[in-house]
Amino acid sequence: LLTVDNFNVFYNHTFDLLRPEGKKYVEKDMACLALQAVWTQIPGKKSPHVDSFVEYLNSKEAILSVNQDQWKSFVQFSKQVL
């Protein structure tokens, strides 16, 4: 069971698992699905921003992927802006 304390490790490891070998990004479709799945893993804790962020990513055809900096920034944003 995930706790708030070990969520960052899980969240960052998820990016590494999804990233194609030798690449520095996760494809947008995979990132959107993963964001929605990952944020449901802590009972009672869900970023109120996941759905809006996924909607934004999907509305922009020019966005093809999410890099590691964007992935990590989202978790920091979600923790700070409630």
Side-chain angles (χ1 to χ4, degrees), residues 18 26-36 54 57 65-66 71:
L18 298 174
V26 172
E27 293 180 19
K28 176 174 66 174
D29 292 341
M30 184 64 72
C32 289
L33 291 171
L35 283 168
Q36 291 169 319
V54 167
L57 290 173
S65 62
V66 173
W71 183 265

Side-chain angles (χ1 to χ4, degrees), residues 7 10 13 15 21 45 48 53 58 60-61 71 75 78:
F7 179 75
F10 171 72
H13 186 65
F15 181 89
E21 189 173 333
K45 299 284 184 190
F53 185 50
N58 286 324
K60 304 295 181 187
E61 290 183 27
W71 183 265
V75 77
S78 293

Side-chain angles (χ1 to χ4, degrees), residues 42-58:
I42 300 178
K45 299 284 184 190
K46 182 179 182 200
S47 170
H49 311 292
V50 171
D51 293 336
S52 296
F53 185 50
V54 167
E55 185 178 322
Y56 170 78
L57 290 173
N58 286 324

Side-chain angles (χ1 to χ4, degrees), residues 68-82:
Q68 191 170 28
D69 187 48
Q70 293 164 325
W71 183 265
K72 288 183 177 182
S73 293
F74 181 74
V75 77
Q76 292 171 346
F77 173 82
S78 293
K79 287 180 175 183
Q80 293 175 1
V81 181
L82 295 176

